[in-house]
Amino acid sequence: MQAQRSLPMFPARLDTPSDELVSHAQAGPRYTSYPPATVFRPGFGAAQAAAELAALPTDPLALYCHVPFCSQLCWYCGCNVTATRDRSRGAGYVDLLIRELDLVAAAIGRRQAVAELALGGGSPNFLEIHDLARMVTALRERFAFAADAELGIELDPRDTTAPQIDALAGLGFTRLSVGVQDFDPEVQHAIHRVQTVEQTRAVVDRARAQGFRSVNADLVYGLPGQTVARLESTLAEVVAFAPDRIAVFGYAHLPHLRPHQRLVERSLPVPGLPERVELLRAVLDRMADAGYVRIGLDHFARPDDPLVAAMNRGELGRNFQGYVIQRTQALLGCGPSAISDSGGAYWQNAVDLETWTQAVTAGELPVARGVALDADDRLRRHVIMRLMCDGRLGFAEVAERFHLDVAATFADELRQLEDQHGDLAVVDRAAGTITATPLGHHLIRNVARVFDRHTPAGSGGSPTI
Ligand code: SF4
């Protein structure tokens, strides 16, 4: 555990000229896992996942359940989604998800302890109340939820009803994440997602009245038609709700991978890199002005939020949901495309709803691909995650944890940092540290990539700014 820090590590504001950031921008992984999901292979399937499940430690783990339906498709969407207005599909889906839970529980071989549950998607609020209740009851029957387990859910304010929120509170949910993206009407038209401030405020107010402890708002910068003025206006509206946490993700425009994203180019241009930098600058300024503390690259929290204390203790983690308080060592994902992390391996369920359905119906774990981590992967994962979360790496902690000489093991990487990336990170061999510079914090994915032995130079992903 690291010493208590009194200052946020990632610079609250962006003082670097735009062209300097643009010159460093490259495509690359977001490092929500290491190895990145692009490395997962079909050779890791149901049998390997079953072996990992059977060997899970008894410590409480985190659960994620994916609900793959939305009533319409947002054109910028990067998630695994089936757009349908037929809500009756939710009941059959919950039946299948419960069958998957049975398969997972059988492979584990005991009633595994759980400290956290997250429902995401898609839109979990696509499910009718009784189907949400069936899902949560089934989860509680198959897993031993800690008395203080945290239950969180993503909600689309456009079609979340007050009775749904009341029911979720009754089921024990206390954390809520609402999608916002941008409130500007032209931007909303361009991304095919029209959502009013009032709809959003109604969900937040109802949740708070029902005792939800934590409200998170998700925004996106880099959307078509976004300008600094429009984004600042959205940020002001969001800050007025006083969310406990705000995440502002950079839009990943990858139409070669997600063809529907070509639709966003129809009406308004997607901002280029210089414009993205100015949008990011505005985000950081407005968040700092509003008193939010920057957490890592793209999260912000009120100063009294537990995420800030975790950051100051060096106990931030990073997974597919972004920056989190590192409470558990394993994460199990259920539903199509969900990713699991046993600590020793990652695996992903079949992305396609039909393929996932066939596997579950046949009584097989619906695993499509994955990767078992070797000793080198585990070491590099730790290094990359500490850099992504802390912007800093202490050699002594790594040496103690992995029983090795960091300077000798990473001789090539340290030389690469010193010779090629001195403006992004400072290697202090005497002190035994790597510390990102202010510029390097904003480009921490570039620094982390030096330790990535799987991602070929120049390979795809979203821009690092
Ligand atoms: S609501 Fe979210 S998951 Fe559904 S289509 Fe829109 S962006 Fe994708």
Side-chain angles (χ1 to χ4, degrees):
M1 187 176 297
Q2 299 180 4
Q4 181 89 12
R5 278 181 295 244
S6 57
L7 291 173
M9 299 149 299
F10 282 71
R13 297 179 193 266
L14 177 54
D15 298 324
T16 313
S18 171
D19 54 353
E20 206 173 323
L21 271 151
V22 169
S23 70
H24 284 83
Q26 55 178 238
R30 289 181 189 265
Y31 295 116
T32 52
S33 70
Y34 181 81
T38 47
V39 173
F40 299 179
R41 292 288 176 262
F44 188 108
Q48 289 78 6
E52 288 293 319
L53 290 170
L56 279 178
T58 54
D59 303 350
L61 51 70
L63 280 174
Y64 170 77
C65 291
H66 189 76
V67 179
F69 301 109
C70 289
S71 51
Q72 68 175 41
L73 182 67
C74 308
W75 290 344
Y76 69 94
C77 182
C79 302
N80 174 41
V81 161
T82 296
T84 174
R85 293 196 182 274
D86 178 5
R87 289 200 172 241
S88 69
R89 295 184 68 177
Y93 178 73
V94 169
D95 291 342
L96 288 166
L97 192 80
I98 292 172
R99 291 177 81 163
E100 185 186 0
L101 294 176
D102 281 332
L103 295 168
V104 169
I108 295 172
R110 63 170 180 272
R111 198 157 166 260
Q112 171 71 39
V114 166
E116 293 174 15
L117 167 68
L119 303 189
S123 302
N125 55 279
F126 180 89
L127 300 179
E128 304 286 0
I129 290 170
H130 60 274
D131 289 322
L132 276 166
R134 280 200 305 131
M135 184 199 290
V136 174
T137 301
L139 284 159
R140 288 190 184 277
E141 285 170 353
R142 287 154 184 78
F143 295 91
F145 279 60
D148 61 350
E150 291 204 332
L151 276 62
I153 186 165
E154 295 172 10
L155 294 177
D156 180 345
R158 294 172 300 170
D159 53 8
T160 300
T161 64
Q164 272 180 319
I165 297 170
D166 301 351
L168 288 166
L171 291 168
F173 284 83
T174 56
R175 308 188 76 86
L176 164 72
S177 189
V178 289
V180 173
Q181 325 320 338
D182 194 299
F183 281 133
D184 182 85
E186 282 197 40
V187 175
Q188 291 193 349
H189 176 74
I191 62 174
H192 199 234
R193 182 190 173 103
V194 176
Q195 171 182 335
T196 65
V197 176
E198 291 70 28
Q199 281 173 317
T200 314
R201 184 189 298 277
V203 168
V204 171
D205 289 350
R206 186 81 179 195
R208 288 217 168 101
Q210 282 290 352
F212 276 72
R213 284 200 310 270
S214 179
V215 171
N216 180 92
D218 288 340
L219 282 74
V220 175
Y221 74 89
L223 292 171
Q226 246 177 358
T227 61
V228 166
R230 287 171 166 171
L231 184 55
E232 286 184 329
S233 169
T234 292
L235 290 167
E237 296 279 14
V238 170
V239 165
F241 303 157
D244 302 273
R245 299 176 189 172
I246 299 174
V248 191
F249 300 109
Y251 171 49
H253 188 58
L254 303 168
H256 58 292
L257 298 177
R258 303 168 191 140
H260 65 263
Q261 288 187 336
R262 294 206 190 286
L263 296 168
V264 307
E265 300 167 355
R266 275 184 176 177
S267 52
L268 293 169
V270 177
L273 286 176
E275 292 81 18
R276 275 177 82 96
V277 172
E278 294 316 313
L279 291 167
L280 174 61
R281 196 188 307 280
V283 168
L284 296 181
D285 282 344
R286 295 293 80 79
M287 289 295 94
D289 293 346
Y292 282 82
V293 177
R294 187 179 185 187
I295 308 284
L297 274 177
D298 44 21
H299 286 40
F300 305 87
R302 296 204 319 215
D304 57 352
D305 191 280
L307 200 58
V308 176
M311 179 183 74
N312 288 334
R313 291 194 305 269
E315 293 175 3
L316 275 189
R318 184 163 168 81
N319 64 24
F320 303 101
Q321 290 156 316
Y323 288 99
V324 297
I325 300 172
Q326 189 74 56
R327 288 200 192 90
T328 62
Q329 300 307 313
L331 166 71
L332 295 188
C334 293
S337 78
I339 293 177
S340 298
D341 171 10
S342 65
Y346 293 103
W347 62 94
Q348 183 174 31
N349 280 354
V351 172
D352 172 56
L353 181 58
E354 191 56 41
T355 309
W356 174 85
T357 300
Q358 284 170 4
V360 173
T361 305
E364 295 165 6
L365 287 171
V367 179
R369 57 192 190 128
V371 62
L373 276 66
D374 62 20
D376 185 65
D377 289 328
R378 292 173 197 235
L379 168 64
R380 289 174 189 273
R381 173 171 64 178
H382 182 77
V383 168
I384 286 173
M385 290 303 162
R386 290 318 342 133
L387 287 168
M388 291 297 298
C389 292
D390 304 338
R392 180 185 181 281
L393 185 77
F395 295 1
E397 185 265 336
V398 178
E400 188 180 339
R401 183 183 287 253
F402 291 94
H403 310 292
L404 48 75
D405 179 335
V406 173
T409 305
F410 291 117
D412 289 346
E413 288 82 356
L414 296 186
R415 206 171 305 117
Q416 197 181 333
L417 283 176
E418 289 168 330
D419 294 348
Q420 300 172 30
H421 303 289
D423 52 348
L424 300 184
V426 174
V427 178
D428 185 334
R429 290 174 184 267
T433 56
I434 299 168
T435 308
T437 62
L439 175 64
H441 275 94
H442 299 299
L443 293 155
I444 196 67
R445 289 162 60 194
N446 295 33
V447 180
R449 189 167 181 155
V450 171
F451 294 88
D452 178 351
R453 75 179 167 109
H454 288 291
T455 307
S459 65
S462 58
T464 48
I465 54 167

